[in-house]
Amino acid sequence: QVELVESGGGLVQPGGSLRLSCAASGSIFRVDTMGWYRQAPGKWRELVATITSNDVINYEDSVKGRFTISRDNAKNSIYLQMNNVRPEDTAVYYCNADVITDFGNVLDAWGQGTLVTVSS
């Protein structure tokens, strides 16, 4: 059993900042790539940023220069620092992780999501 728990969502004004956190727990042998995805109302879920276990990072174009993803391997956690947010960043943000379990299974694990609302 593997669980991802996100936190840090909320209401923020345009131009403001917010920090999301995600921690993986359970029967984990290793966590490979982790990432953040988001889904706005009426839209498909899209990639925001990913980070590998050796810190190779990829960002979606619209968040480059504004968002920063980081990782703490010892805690099986990732973070998303969101600066200069825009109304179009409003979405439910989901944490994702490629997990190798103690039993040798490979899981594509997802968190329950945390809502970010950018509005004045």
Side-chain angles (χ1 to χ4, degrees), residues 2-6 22-25 28 30-37 45 49-53 69 71 73 75-78 94-101 105-112:
V2 173
E3 185 179 29
L4 300 183
V5 178
E6 302 109 331
C22 170
S25 63
I28 297 172
R30 189 180 76 240
V31 182
D32 291 335
T33 299
M34 300 184 74
W36 291 98
Y37 292 73
R45 189 174 297 187
T50 59
I51 183 168
T52 68
S53 57
I69 189 171
R71 178 169 180 154
N73 287 328
K75 296 181 179 179
N76 288 327
S77 295
I78 58 169
Y94 296 91
C95 177
N96 172 259
D98 296 331
V99 177
I100 314 300
T101 72
N105 298 319
V106 179
L107 298 182
D108 180 26
W110 290 89
Q112 81 286 353

Side-chain angles (χ1 to χ4, degrees), residues 62-76:
S62 71
V63 308
K64 287 180 179 177
R66 301 188 299 122
F67 293 6
T68 302
I69 189 171
S70 59
R71 178 169 180 154
D72 185 336
N73 287 328
K75 296 181 179 179
N76 288 327

Side-chain angles (χ1 to χ4, degrees), residues 6 9-10 20 36-48 80 82 87-95 110-118:
E6 302 109 331
L20 306 183
W36 291 98
Y37 292 73
R38 65 186 179 186
Q39 187 167 16
K43 295 189 176 181
W44 296 103
R45 189 174 297 187
E46 65 175 4
L47 178 147
V48 176
L80 186 69
M82 304 168 64
E88 55 264 37
D89 294 322
T90 295
V92 177
Y93 284 71
Y94 296 91
C95 177
W110 290 89
Q112 81 286 353
T114 185
L115 177 62
V116 172
T117 303
V118 182

